[in-house]
Amino acid sequence: HQSEQVFAAALMPIINPSTLQEYLDLGLYGFALSRYSGCWIGFKAIGETVESSASIYSDPSRVQIVLPTDFEMPPGGLNIRWPDPPMEAEKRFGPKMEAVKAFARANALDKIVLDGNPARLGIIATGKAYLDLRQAMADLGISDRDAEQLGLRIYKVALTWPLEESGARRFAEGLQDVLVVEEKRGFIEDQLMRILYNVDAWKRPSVVGKRDETGAPLLPSEGELNPTLVASALVARLRRLGHQSPLLEQRLARLEA
């Protein structure tokens, strides 16, 4: 089952943690985001993470919430009140979404975690799919240093809807291709293409995820995503950029076998 599309239709921002530590940390950001924006917040929970255990940091000061300075709160704020006529509540929808984006910017919820110089292939991932990506790189023998030399840039998204636009544009700047790694149906992929649509054509990278440029399947929309599937997509995109590595092909063939 996939709930993101339903949450987005209800104007509920969605946070997607990768680890148990992030369940705690992003959970605190989620409460603060809800109070600031007046929105309900969706929080993705999947079995692979929920039904696991880990050591975590529990220091209360590990999360420092920052309130935005680039958003002007409207008079009366954004939260519900009584009486709250429907048309008055609807007028707050736009400012609520702007408040969400400002909060995401102020607290750097989405991060570039690896950046080649120069970067040509960007990979955007969230939640468990981010861990699948890192495992795929490890299985292929691609260290962070190797990734930088290959020209990879990795963007880890915590707030999957609404995708924060200024950070997404910074991530895509200078790239030739972008690969979106996410579970189930494409969700971030559609948002990213909309954000980049009006960028000058000569500066706009191609964006693929569930399908490639020709419409051929790339990453599945059904079942469970796993590191081998991600590794196959990653090697295919590197191949397209001219990185013909017999060693990578060998490792991928071993994984697929």
Side-chain angles (χ1 to χ4, degrees):
H1 181 69
Q2 186 174 20
S3 302
E4 285 99 325
Q5 290 82 0
V6 178
F7 285 178
L11 295 183
M12 289 174 60
I14 304 161
I15 290 175
N16 190 352
S18 297
T19 63
L20 291 185
Q21 183 70 55
E22 288 187 357
Y23 266 69
L24 297 177
D25 297 349
L26 292 178
L28 294 176
Y29 280 116
F31 281 118
L33 173 58
S34 178
R35 290 167 181 154
Y36 183 75
S37 66
C39 293
W40 292 80
I41 307 297
F43 201 75
K44 183 150 184 166
I46 62 172
E48 289 85 348
T49 312
V50 172
E51 296 168 6
S52 64
S53 59
S55 298
I56 54 94
Y57 293 101
S58 57
D59 182 354
S61 63
R62 73 190 180 281
V63 173
Q64 300 293 328
I65 307 294
V66 177
L67 294 182
T69 57
D70 58 350
F71 174 75
E72 185 175 347
M73 189 66 68
L78 294 170
N79 291 276
I80 59 175
R81 70 285 314 266
W82 183 260
D84 200 5
M87 293 306 296
E88 292 300 314
E90 188 178 9
K91 288 178 184 176
R92 295 196 296 272
F93 290 169
K96 279 174 183 276
M97 293 299 103
E98 293 306 313
V100 169
K101 294 174 185 177
F103 185 94
R105 287 193 299 271
N107 291 279
L109 296 183
D110 305 330
K111 299 178 176 67
I112 293 176
V113 296
L114 189 148
D115 198 2
N117 188 20
R120 297 174 64 206
L121 172 60
I123 307 173
I124 182 169
T126 182
K128 173 185 171 289
Y130 171 76
L131 301 182
D132 289 335
L133 169 64
R134 298 311 298 237
Q135 185 64 53
M137 292 169 61
D139 291 345
L140 291 169
I142 300 175
S143 66
D144 283 0
R145 185 174 179 181
D146 294 333
E148 290 172 356
Q149 291 174 344
L150 286 168
L152 298 185
R153 178 183 295 161
I154 298 177
Y155 193 47
K156 183 182 181 187
V157 172
L159 185 73
T160 58
W161 191 88
L163 185 61
E164 200 281 301
E165 296 179 9
S166 61
R169 288 196 188 96
R170 276 196 306 274
F171 156 73
E173 190 172 348
L175 296 175
Q176 182 176 330
D177 280 332
V178 172
L179 170 64
V180 183
V181 180
E182 55 185 334
E183 297 171 292
K184 299 295 185 183
R185 287 176 289 160
F187 187 63
I188 294 175
E189 183 180 355
D190 293 343
Q191 296 180 74
L192 183 63
M193 286 193 287
R194 178 182 52 77
I195 290 169
L196 299 180
Y197 182 82
N198 287 321
V199 172
D200 291 338
W202 62 275
K203 294 194 295 185
R204 185 173 62 236
S206 68
V207 178
V208 299
K210 298 305 169 185
R211 295 183 177 273
D212 66 14
E213 295 87 352
T214 67
L218 187 59
L219 288 169
S221 296
E222 66 286 335
E224 183 183 355
L225 195 63
N226 64 55
T228 300
L229 292 170
V230 177
S232 177
L234 175 55
V235 171
R237 303 315 291 174
L238 288 171
R239 202 184 292 136
R240 183 176 183 270
L241 291 177
H243 293 296
Q244 300 287 347
S245 168
L247 187 57
L248 280 183
E249 299 288 351
Q250 214 172 49
R251 288 170 176 161
L252 176 60
R254 190 164 62 243
L255 288 172
E256 291 178 334

